[in-house]
Amino acid sequence: MEKKKKPRSLKEALEGKLSKKEREKLITSFDSIGDIAVIQIHEDLQKKAKLIGDALLSTNKQFKTVCMVSGEHKGKYRVQPVKVIAGKKTLKASYRESGCLFSVYLGKVFFSPRLSTERMRISQLIKENEIIGAFFAGVGPFPIVFTRLSQMKKAYAVELNPEAYKGLLHNIGLNKCQNKVEPILGDVKKVVPKMLLEKCDRVVMPLPKGGENFLKEAMMALKSEGGIVHFYRFVEREKGVGQPLKEIKEAAKELGMKTRVLRKKKVRSFSASKEQVVIDFWGKKI
Ligand SMILES: C[S@@+](CC[C@H](N)C(=O)[O-])C[C@H]1O[C@@H](n2cnc3c(N)ncnc32)[C@H](O)[C@@H]1O
């Protein structure tokens, strides 16, 4: 008897189960957050969500659960609603990156594996004994990966969402970096003037939607001898980085600082018209 071949892709696993028209609407890319796959499903295919989820489980043995995205990232905590469509009914993922372990409660906190290359890139730029301002820290991927891949002295990890802060505390414990990462629950706008003025050699700002409103706080946190900011932002692809460069200049002018752009680059495509960019700049009080 001929042995049934195991499907090699999601499309293959759904052959004969979806019509040709439905297969054309199938989005085959997905995010892997450890043992949980997060997939987008076209609105015309939502009734087939379980079928699609089961097919994904059958082709990828690493997953125990498949979730579908059920809305946009929303609110100031930037949380994306998701729901389980197949496998074990859990939203608690266990994720590994650069030798670090993270526990992530999907649907309650922001998390994206897509900035892992950026975390590595910045780790390589950090010099021995640097003090880092890890703004918008979420459950801690930036400061915790820095602990592992750089020789920084310390990172202040500032996060506003109490649920993400809880995850941050947990992940600091999991990775045994209590002596290197100081978690701070609060709003960057209030925390910087109270605790972080002129404390940092480097500040990371992974808040691509709205981060421009915190540029002054990032610059105020830089040491008086100067420091570096990594500023993430969504831009219209056609317009490029003109707007964020203008925002940096304006914030510097208000604070009486001089700045120099060190690098500007695309991080990833976000939508048909938008992309995420990062601008690395140096700044110092005049
Ligand atoms: C886009 S997420 C990035 C999270 C994390 N750095 C990562 O890469 O997974 C932005 C985070 O900033 C937090 N946040 C938003 N506004 C904030 C503020 N004013 N002060 C501190 N944290 C804030 C949100 O709760 C969210 O966890």
Side-chain angles (χ1 to χ4, degrees):
M1 205 171 75
E2 205 183 320
K3 211 174 148 200
K4 212 175 157 200
K5 263 210 245 150
K6 184 178 167 288
R8 282 164 306 175
S9 67
L10 183 57
K11 253 201 171 135
E12 230 178 80
L14 287 164
E15 248 170 37
K17 295 180 181 160
L18 294 182
S19 68
K20 188 166 174 273
K21 249 194 174 157
E22 286 173 332
R23 292 228 314 269
E24 279 165 13
K25 289 179 181 159
L26 187 68
I27 301 166
T28 52
S29 60
F30 52 85
D31 274 341
S32 313
I33 305 187
D35 39 15
I36 301 190
V38 182
I39 187 166
Q40 304 256 3
I41 296 187
H42 189 286
E43 57 179 324
D44 295 350
L45 291 183
Q46 305 225 334
K47 280 192 186 139
K48 305 269 169 96
K50 172 144 175 50
L51 192 73
I52 296 169
D54 284 337
L56 189 53
L57 285 178
S58 74
T59 53
N60 289 272
K61 294 294 175 207
Q62 77 184 87
F63 299 129
K64 64 172 187 223
T65 300
V66 179
C67 294
M68 69 173 242
V69 168
S70 53
E72 297 290 311
H73 284 101
K74 49 177 192 202
K76 55 187 177 182
Y77 298 159
R78 310 306 303 138
V79 176
Q80 184 164 49
V82 289
K83 63 179 184 202
V84 174
I85 54 171
K88 193 172 161 198
K89 290 210 172 344
T90 179
L91 289 174
K92 284 188 179 161
S94 201
Y95 167 79
R96 272 187 188 280
E97 182 184 309
S98 297
C100 306
L101 183 60
F102 298 93
S103 168
V104 182
Y105 204 155
L106 300 174
K108 289 202 184 265
V109 302
F110 174 96
F111 189 79
S112 168
R114 296 182 190 189
L115 290 184
S116 56
T117 315
E118 272 301 295
R119 298 191 257 273
M120 263 166 46
R121 180 182 78 86
I122 296 175
S123 298
Q124 284 159 8
L125 298 172
I126 295 173
K127 299 195 186 78
E128 197 177 340
N129 280 329
E130 277 194 11
I131 309 270
I132 314 287
F135 290 5
F136 318 114
V139 297
F142 277 86
I144 292 174
V145 167
F146 295 163
T147 307
R148 179 92 187 180
L149 299 186
S150 83
Q151 295 203 41
M152 72 165 187
K153 186 169 184 184
K154 180 183 182 140
Y156 294 101
V158 189
E159 173 54 46
L160 185 63
N161 175 1
E163 199 63 51
Y165 177 76
K166 234 200 277 173
L168 172 65
L169 294 181
H170 182 72
N171 291 329
I172 290 172
L174 268 183
N175 294 281
K176 300 188 175 57
C177 50
Q178 291 89 339
N179 58 341
K180 294 259 178 172
V181 182
E182 182 172 327
I184 303 172
L185 173 63
D187 184 336
V188 161
K189 281 251 176 257
K190 294 182 184 155
V191 170
V192 170
K194 251 196 238 160
M195 308 176 59
L196 297 180
L197 284 180
E198 299 191 0
K199 282 254 167 78
C200 302
D201 297 289
R202 186 181 296 273
V203 173
V204 234
M205 303 180 68
L207 182 68
K209 189 167 186 279
E212 63 276 15
N213 301 318
F214 300 86
L215 269 171
K216 278 204 281 183
E217 283 70 25
M219 293 190 212
M220 283 154 60
L222 294 179
K223 285 184 176 168
S224 56
E225 63 260 40
I228 292 169
V229 177
H230 302 278
F231 173 38
Y232 293 87
R233 190 155 179 344
F234 291 130
V235 296
E236 294 294 330
R237 189 168 287 120
E238 283 190 352
K239 293 190 181 153
V241 292
Q243 180 62 22
L245 291 178
K246 197 170 142 213
E247 289 157 0
I248 293 168
K249 261 195 185 158
E250 282 171 4
K253 195 172 165 196
E254 275 186 54
L255 294 173
M257 289 183 77
K258 56 182 173 181
T259 56
R260 189 172 72 244
V261 172
L262 305 174
R263 187 154 199 215
K264 37 188 195 238
K265 73 170 190 106
K266 174 179 162 180
V267 176
R268 65 184 183 104
S269 284
F270 178 69
S271 66
S273 62
K274 282 189 184 166
E275 59 190 24
Q276 185 173 355
V277 295
V278 60
I279 298 174
D280 297 350
F281 67 92
W282 171 88
K284 181 183 186 305
K285 267 227 166 87
I286 298 169

